[in-house]
Amino acid sequence: AFWIAVVAVAGPLAGKLADVQQNRAVDYLPAGADSTQAAKIQDRLPGGESTDLVLVYHRDGGLTAADRNTAARQIDEIVSGHRLTSAPHAVPSKDGATLMYPVSTTQPGQNDDAKQAFVTDVRQVADGGGGLSAEVGGPGAMEVDAKEVFSSLDGPLLYTTVAVVAILLIIIYRSPMLWLVPLVCAGVADALAMGAVYGLNRGFDITVTGQSQGVMTILVFGAGTDYALLLVARYREELRRFVRPYDAMAAALRGSGPAVIASSGTVAAGLLCLMAADLNSSSGMGPIAAVGVLCALLAMMTLLPAILVLLGRRLFWPLVPAYGSEPKQRRSLFAAMGSSAGRRPVAVLVTGAVVLGALALGAFALPGNLKQEDSFTTKPESITAAKSLAAAFPERSTQPITVIAPTAKAAEALARARTTEGVTSAAQGRSGSGWTEISVVATSKPESAGEQATIHALRDGLDGSLGAYVGGPSAQQMDLESTSTSDLKIIVPLVLLSVLLVLVVLLRSLVAPLMLIVAVVAVWGASLGVAGLVFEPLLGLKGTDPGLPLLSFVFLVALGVDYGIFLMHRMREESLSGAEPAAAALTALRTTGGVIASAGLVLAATFGVLVTMPLAMLAELGFVIAVGVLLDTFLVRTYLVTSASVALGRKVWWPGPLSRTPTGPPSAPSVPEDGERVRTLTS
């Protein structure tokens, strides 16, 4: 009844989340960067934010007189139909094969629908034919294309994720109905998360981007299914010991609940560290992703148990766990793997470390920073137009640099800009609210080393004494890269410290948490190394998103520790029951290995869905996390953590009481009046 009420309230709010997405470049920028300030001031100038386009007319072998007349006629039609900031003038290429028309308007302002309508209308007017190509590019067209891509992700991303999770759950459970229950609960959790994030956006103005919403959906289904797998596995085990499903679920929650709650809390704590990032997109993703994880936890710890108890044992058909029965004994792959790790723990540990270290070396092969023209895996018209411009005008930039100077010093700023090395031309634009806009054209092509040097020179000459800001698309990309690097230095130690503190409290040890932290950091390095070997040669990705190292680190550390908690919590439970350290480690691997492997496969598959998305930053993030989860599941948890635990013995629990004295055997189980067997759970 509670969850029906939750869905009734959260459902309508969830449908509004896409309306508050912010996918402009400025929405990803660092709060205090030059380019951010320039963009904000531009919004306050007369007419508000400008939409800048570039029309590109091209014919192989050279434009004809008829081609030029066609282009001029279409430009006149655009001028007559829209209020432009200035009349467009043709800029011919040296080889005579290309004409470039810069077009700018403030008519749409910040209204996304109006922007899209303007770009669509211009594209309908700009029509080639007969060997003449007409393309519409520029920052405004690229922004509209990016928003369309993000808007188109919601449906395919959700459907693909649901399909992947459903297939894996059917394979894991081998039941015609059981797989549906966790999937429905994950869907409800996703709706709750979207409604909650919409409320956070309205109440606290948290930045919601297409990237953060997509990652949140993946986390809800991936992490939620993981929690369901752990709970259902324990519930199936308890159904053999209790007559009533209610009692079995109560015992399952007591046994697995602490590990699930602790793991989700660790993930949320790690993700919330992103709030300290200066990059708007990263700082917004932290609470959004944390909300997704906590909603998944809430659904899997309350809604899932209620449905499972209501439906009873028959839900597991045809493999129904009957009361008093024993599970079918099968040859356990994880028992065999644990035995091999237990026989020569040091050798296994050293070999695994060498493998991870060798893989990490591939990180040096990662391609350079991702350029705007390479940010889409499928090329929209704005990207093909940018490539056409770069080929036709190699001697100059086709994307202006924006300088925003105080109006009182605008003349001096204009003069300095014109004399700055690497500048071809500079022209004064709009003025208002005490600021003046200056458009600067560099001699080097966009996002090249030469243009970056020009931007640095402009900032050195204009920022200090004149108080001007230097922005524009290329400056924004530079600020993204530099801020991502500085955020990495701040967030990494913050995440490690917060996760370490949670693990110390949970495991009541210092050695075990440090062991898990070292393991997940090694996995992160190895995952980036694999990415370096795959991105460009196999996936055709020409650059690496600046935010990839930070985001992949936070997710892999948080999610990797998640599985470590499942394993170490069971190991600690076995130790408290009197098992010797080596036996406790191998028993924990044997009993949780299958669940952790299933959970790892589901989580890796859900993040792997991002690889199929048409945006390079999502594809790269999904690939690195999927590879990391698989390495963590089948190499680190299975072999390295187990072998390290066997090698360290009781020292793994230092300085806690388990490191000093063995625990006595557990007390005999009590038998209540109704004769039901009750398993004594010590924690």
Side-chain angles (χ1 to χ4, degrees), residues 44-268:
R44 301 200 302 267
L45 293 176
E49 181 184 1
S50 64
T51 301
D52 303 316
L53 308 179
V54 179
L55 277 68
V56 186
Y57 292 91
H58 175 81
R59 180 185 289 274
D60 293 335
L63 294 167
T64 65
D67 294 336
R68 293 187 175 87
N69 290 335
T70 298
R73 186 178 66 255
Q74 292 177 358
I75 292 297
D76 289 341
E77 185 177 345
I78 292 170
V79 170
S80 63
H82 301 277
R83 188 174 68 248
L84 305 182
T85 55
S86 61
H89 296 285
V91 181
S93 63
K94 288 183 177 180
D95 61 4
T98 305
L99 274 181
M100 173 179 68
Y101 281 93
V103 173
S104 180
T105 180
T106 58
Q107 189 175 357
Q110 296 188 39
N111 188 299
D112 291 335
D113 293 335
K115 280 185 185 180
Q116 185 169 3
F118 171 68
V119 174
T120 301
D121 185 64
V122 170
R123 283 176 169 167
Q124 289 175 347
V125 173
D127 184 24
L132 174 67
S133 66
E135 298 171 323
V136 178
M142 194 172 294
E143 182 181 324
V144 168
D145 287 340
K147 183 170 180 59
E148 287 181 352
V149 169
F150 276 118
S151 299
S152 67
L153 290 182
D154 294 343
L157 181 62
L158 178 61
Y159 304 147
T160 308
T161 302
V162 169
V164 168
V165 173
I167 292 171
L168 289 174
L169 286 177
I170 291 173
I171 295 173
I172 292 168
Y173 285 140
R174 290 172 290 172
S175 169
M177 290 300 296
L178 180 58
W179 62 273
L180 191 58
V181 178
L183 201 60
V184 169
C185 293
V188 172
D190 189 43
L192 174 60
M194 288 194 291
V197 169
Y198 177 79
L200 288 176
N201 174 267
R202 296 290 86 185
F204 301 97
D205 198 28
I206 290 177
T207 300
V208 181
T209 65
Q211 182 190 39
S212 60
Q213 183 178 342
V215 170
M216 183 192 72
T217 295
I218 291 292
L219 265 180
V220 169
F221 277 89
T225 304
D226 283 0
Y227 303 151
L229 285 169
L230 193 69
L231 178 63
V232 171
R234 194 63 177 256
Y235 176 54
R236 186 198 296 266
E237 184 181 329
E238 301 299 340
L239 281 173
R240 302 181 187 279
R241 298 183 172 93
F242 292 90
V243 174
R244 294 195 307 163
Y246 178 90
D247 297 324
M249 181 56 72
L253 285 171
R254 286 195 300 270
S256 62
V260 172
I261 293 172
S263 62
S264 61
T266 306
V267 174

Side-chain angles (χ1 to χ4, degrees), residues 456-549:
H456 283 304
L458 286 169
R459 286 178 170 174
D460 291 339
L462 301 176
D463 279 12
S465 59
L466 298 182
Y469 298 107
V470 180
S474 296
Q476 291 171 355
Q477 194 67 18
M478 289 172 56
D479 289 337
L480 282 172
E481 294 167 7
S482 62
T483 307
S484 295
T485 302
S486 61
D487 282 347
L488 188 66
K489 297 175 183 178
I490 296 172
I491 302 300
V492 164
L494 196 59
V495 170
L496 292 177
L497 180 61
S498 63
V499 170
L500 179 63
L501 290 176
V502 173
L503 289 176
V504 168
V505 172
L506 173 69
L507 299 177
R508 298 168 193 172
S509 163
L510 187 59
V511 174
L514 287 173
M515 179 177 67
L516 293 179
I517 291 291
V518 170
V520 293
V521 171
V523 166
W524 173 64
S527 303
L528 287 179
V530 174
L533 302 175
V534 169
F535 273 3
E536 193 166 5
L538 297 182
L539 300 182
L541 298 169
K542 302 297 184 182
T544 304
D545 182 67
L548 177 65

Side-chain angles (χ1 to χ4, degrees), residues 324-361:
S325 64
E326 293 293 332
K328 184 178 179 180
Q329 297 298 322
R330 296 177 180 173
R331 181 178 177 81
S332 172
L333 172 64
F334 292 96
M337 297 169 77
S339 298
S340 63
R343 283 194 298 269
R344 296 183 177 178
V346 176
V348 170
L349 191 60
V350 171
T351 303
V354 169
V355 170
L356 290 177
L359 289 176
L361 294 176

Side-chain angles (χ1 to χ4, degrees), residues 518-579:
V518 170
V520 293
V521 171
V523 166
W524 173 64
S527 303
L528 287 179
V530 174
L533 302 175
V534 169
F535 273 3
E536 193 166 5
L538 297 182
L539 300 182
L541 298 169
K542 302 297 184 182
T544 304
D545 182 67
L548 177 65
L550 174 61
L551 294 180
S552 61
F553 176 84
V554 172
F555 281 105
L556 282 178
V557 168
L559 295 172
V561 168
D562 202 24
Y563 294 145
I565 288 174
F566 294 162
L567 180 66
M568 298 302 292
H569 185 270
R570 188 59 180 256
M571 192 184 303
R572 188 171 188 277
E573 187 178 328
E574 295 296 329
S575 297
L576 286 169
S577 299

Side-chain angles (χ1 to χ4, degrees), residues 341-650:
R343 283 194 298 269
R344 296 183 177 178
V346 176
V348 170
L349 191 60
V350 171
T351 303
V354 169
V355 170
L356 290 177
L359 289 176
L361 294 176
F364 293 104
L366 282 168
N369 286 319
L370 192 68
K371 296 181 178 180
Q372 284 186 319
E373 64 185 42
D374 299 320
S375 56
F376 299 88
T377 55
T378 55
K379 307 300 183 187
E381 185 177 338
S382 59
I383 299 299
T384 58
K387 290 183 177 294
S388 299
L389 286 171
F393 299 92
E395 76 285 355
R396 57 162 288 168
S397 175
T398 55
Q399 184 171 269
I401 301 167
T402 301
V403 175
I404 302 294
T407 300
K409 300 179 180 180
E412 185 180 353
L414 180 61
R416 287 195 191 183
R418 285 172 173 168
T419 58
T420 300
E421 185 178 356
V423 172
T424 297
S425 63
Q428 186 171 317
R430 298 174 293 166
S431 293
S433 303
W435 296 93
T436 295
E437 181 183 57
I438 299 173
S439 182
V440 178
V441 178
T443 56
S444 303
K445 62 183 182 179
E447 297 186 72
S448 64
E451 189 196 37
Q452 290 181 359
T454 302
I455 292 173
H456 283 304
L458 286 169
R459 286 178 170 174
D460 291 339
L462 301 176
D463 279 12
S465 59
L466 298 182
Y469 298 107
V470 180
S474 296
Q476 291 171 355
Q477 194 67 18
M478 289 172 56
D479 289 337
L480 282 172
E481 294 167 7
S482 62
T483 307
S484 295
T485 302
S486 61
D487 282 347
L488 188 66
K489 297 175 183 178
I490 296 172
I491 302 300
V492 164
L494 196 59
V495 170
L496 292 177
L497 180 61
S498 63
V499 170
L500 179 63
L501 290 176
V502 173
L503 289 176
V504 168
V505 172
L506 173 69
L507 299 177
R508 298 168 193 172
S509 163
L510 187 59
V511 174
L514 287 173
M515 179 177 67
L516 293 179
I517 291 291
V518 170
V520 293
V521 171
V523 166
W524 173 64
S527 303
L528 287 179
V530 174
L533 302 175
V534 169
F535 273 3
E536 193 166 5
L538 297 182
L539 300 182
L541 298 169
K542 302 297 184 182
T544 304
D545 182 67
L548 177 65
L550 174 61
L551 294 180
S552 61
F553 176 84
V554 172
F555 281 105
L556 282 178
V557 168
L559 295 172
V561 168
D562 202 24
Y563 294 145
I565 288 174
F566 294 162
L567 180 66
M568 298 302 292
H569 185 270
R570 188 59 180 256
M571 192 184 303
R572 188 171 188 277
E573 187 178 328
E574 295 296 329
S575 297
L576 286 169
S577 299
E580 290 300 316
L586 298 179
T587 300
L589 177 62
R590 186 177 64 253
T591 54
T592 65
V595 178
I596 292 177
S598 301
L601 284 173
V602 170
L603 192 62
T606 52
F607 272 99
V609 170
L610 292 176
V611 179
T612 65
M613 298 294 106
L615 285 168
M617 62 180 178
L618 287 179
E620 291 176 349
L621 183 63
F623 179 86
V624 172
I625 295 178
V627 169
V629 169
L630 292 176
L631 285 174
D632 190 87
T633 302
F634 293 101
L635 175 61
V636 174
R637 294 292 151 248
T638 305
Y639 281 113
L640 302 192
V641 172
T642 301
S643 60
S645 300
V646 172
L648 290 171
R650 293 195 178 279

